[in-house]
Amino acid sequence: MKKKPKIYKLKKLNLEIKRKIISLIKEENPESIISKLSQNNIFKYLDIVSNSNKLDLLVVNYKSNLVGYAIVAKQPSYLFSEFYLLKFKIFLNLLINFNFLTILNIIISIIKIDMIFINKIDKKLIKNNYNLNLVAIKKKFQSRGIGN
């Protein structure tokens, strides 16, 4: 691989970039909560991420193609607090599409059942560190050093 990939932090998203990121989400993260949402709600989600000071949207370009993305939160709690205004739309979207398991996963995460067996030191470490929430590289570009 001669040409190196470029990683950009996006703050402004146009429709074309949003569609490319949605395509990546649906293809590479099909089990994620965000992939279960309508296109309109994913657009709103991406707008919140790109406009936030607490979240970062990174994209990987290789030979002028968007081949990867990552959403990073400066703290895990920001994944809920930043989407406060969108939470009812997300819930309604999941309910209408009968994504009950996804709703259950959200509830487990909100009430922190998934943290029961983690010791206090590790909980503090998790709470105060960056959280790589979603990440994907297109399948045909994986294992080629592009996401490094």
Side-chain angles (χ1 to χ4, degrees):
M1 182 175 307
K2 294 179 182 178
K3 189 163 181 159
K4 291 195 173 228
K6 296 190 187 224
I7 299 173
Y8 300 97
K9 181 174 158 182
L10 295 181
K11 282 295 182 188
K12 293 188 180 187
L13 303 176
N14 62 37
L15 188 58
E16 180 185 352
I17 296 284
K18 287 180 187 178
R19 285 190 173 138
K20 288 178 180 181
I21 293 171
I22 288 174
S23 176
L24 265 171
I25 289 168
K26 299 271 186 187
E27 290 171 22
E28 306 300 335
N29 302 116
E31 297 303 317
S32 67
I33 293 168
I34 191 172
S35 72
K36 309 283 193 240
L37 302 179
S38 68
Q39 179 173 310
N40 188 43
N41 282 333
I42 298 174
F43 280 171
K44 289 175 185 175
Y45 180 94
L46 292 172
D47 285 336
I48 289 169
V49 172
S50 66
N51 292 318
S52 173
N53 293 324
K54 299 173 182 175
L55 305 169
D56 291 326
L57 174 59
L58 307 171
V59 294
V60 179
N61 280 330
Y62 180 69
K63 294 184 178 179
S64 301
N65 294 308
L66 191 141
V67 298
Y69 81 100
I71 296 174
V72 180
K74 294 182 179 172
Q75 288 185 2
S77 62
Y78 296 150
L79 294 170
F80 292 107
S81 66
E82 290 297 283
F83 300 106
Y84 179 78
L85 297 174
L86 197 54
K87 71 179 181 182
F88 293 112
K89 289 181 181 185
I90 290 171
F91 179 75
L92 186 60
N93 191 186
L94 294 172
L95 193 60
I96 288 170
N97 292 309
F98 303 107
N99 289 308
F100 300 117
L101 189 56
T102 304
I103 293 170
L104 181 61
N105 284 334
I106 292 171
I107 292 168
I108 287 170
S109 184
I110 289 171
I111 60 178
K112 300 185 187 228
I113 290 175
D114 55 338
M115 302 284 277
I116 289 175
F117 297 110
I118 298 176
N119 67 48
K120 286 184 181 183
I121 293 170
D122 289 340
K123 283 181 187 177
K124 186 176 179 182
L125 185 66
I126 290 167
K127 181 182 175 188
N128 295 315
N129 278 291
Y130 281 71
N131 178 284
L132 180 58
N133 181 260
L134 287 171
V135 62
I137 298 290
K138 284 186 179 181
K139 279 194 189 345
K140 72 179 192 175
F141 294 99
Q142 292 175 9
S143 301
R144 294 175 58 190
I146 290 177
N148 290 343

